[in-house]
Amino acid sequence: CAEALEGGWCLLPAERHRMLRACACLVWLLDCPAGGGPNAFLSRKLRRDRLGRLFKVSPVVPLYGDMHANLPLILRRCPNFSPAAAAELLPHSRREMESLTGSYDVVAAAGSLRSLVVDYTMSLPALLRRADALGGRRLGRDERGALARAVYEQVLRGCRYMAAVHSRLSEFVAWKCAHPVGDAALAE
């Protein structure tokens, strides 16, 4: 799982979220009660540094709708969990938590998402005009292939943009559900 996540093998953000949940659950399954088997937090076979990089960047991942998986809570349920043993797996410093809060912020990502949408909405009509202009005459095999490839790439790009927007919104909802604002913060 970690190799697939680090290599960027996931086509959609939902696949990435599934892999992150699987990594946390695998650590939980590998960890056995004291004396009953291996300790996942002390095992040399488990690459804690590798998993730590993934869990520190995305500690909360969306499940469905407003449900989320809190990866640090999954790890804390392990029988051999201790803050010292899991220090390299979980975000613990104030700076790391502030950076995480910023990475889940939808308002901060709105500009980049808006630019993706504007780019797409500008290139789609141009492609449609091109297809309309070529549609009345017989096209050669190469022209047909080039037009079909351009339409395919445009549709694929649109699907990726929609997936990126959906992912950001899902991650934001998951983060907010995991970290609700208290009455004291609202009063400020």
Side-chain angles (χ1 to χ4, degrees):
C1 286
E3 185 177 349
L5 287 165
E6 290 172 345
W9 297 351
C10 303
L11 291 177
L12 297 174
E15 293 176 18
R16 182 176 171 278
H17 298 149
R18 258 183 252 127
M19 294 273 198
L20 283 166
R21 289 191 305 264
C23 285
C25 290
L26 285 172
V27 171
W28 180 75
L29 288 171
L30 287 172
D31 197 38
C32 295
N39 180 339
F41 297 97
L42 299 177
S43 173
R44 290 185 182 159
K45 293 181 181 177
L46 184 70
R47 303 271 314 269
R48 289 183 304 281
D49 59 334
R50 199 173 190 185
L51 289 175
R53 283 192 300 271
L54 298 171
F55 292 161
K56 286 181 179 185
V57 172
S58 301
V60 178
V61 293
L63 283 172
Y64 310 101
D66 64 345
M67 294 173 28
H68 65 278
N70 195 332
L71 303 182
L73 286 180
I74 293 172
L75 295 177
R76 284 186 178 105
R77 291 184 178 152
C78 292
N80 294 311
F81 176 84
S82 71
E88 56 190 311
L89 287 175
L90 304 175
H92 57 279
S93 73
R94 182 173 175 86
R95 190 181 60 138
E96 285 176 331
M97 291 306 290
E98 287 173 0
S99 136
L100 279 175
T101 303
S103 71
Y104 281 97
D105 188 10
V106 170
V107 175
S112 65
L113 295 175
R114 189 176 298 120
S115 69
L116 291 176
V117 171
V118 167
D119 177 46
Y120 184 75
T121 56
M122 296 300 285
S123 61
L124 181 62
L127 179 63
L128 293 176
R129 281 192 301 276
R130 181 176 153 214
D132 189 37
L134 295 174
R137 55 176 232 234
R138 294 198 91 127
L139 298 176
R141 182 178 177 162
D142 293 340
E143 290 174 317
R144 249 190 343 255
L147 184 60
R149 229 180 344 272
V151 169
Y152 170 78
E153 289 172 2
Q154 185 72 13
V155 169
L156 185 63
R157 201 169 93 199
C159 290
R160 285 185 181 144
Y161 289 171
M162 286 189 305
V165 170
H166 178 265
S167 171
R168 291 299 295 210
L169 291 174
S170 297
E171 289 171 355
F172 170 72
V173 169
W175 180 261
K176 286 313 242 179
C177 288
H179 300 90
V181 177
D183 291 335
L186 287 174
E188 291 177 3

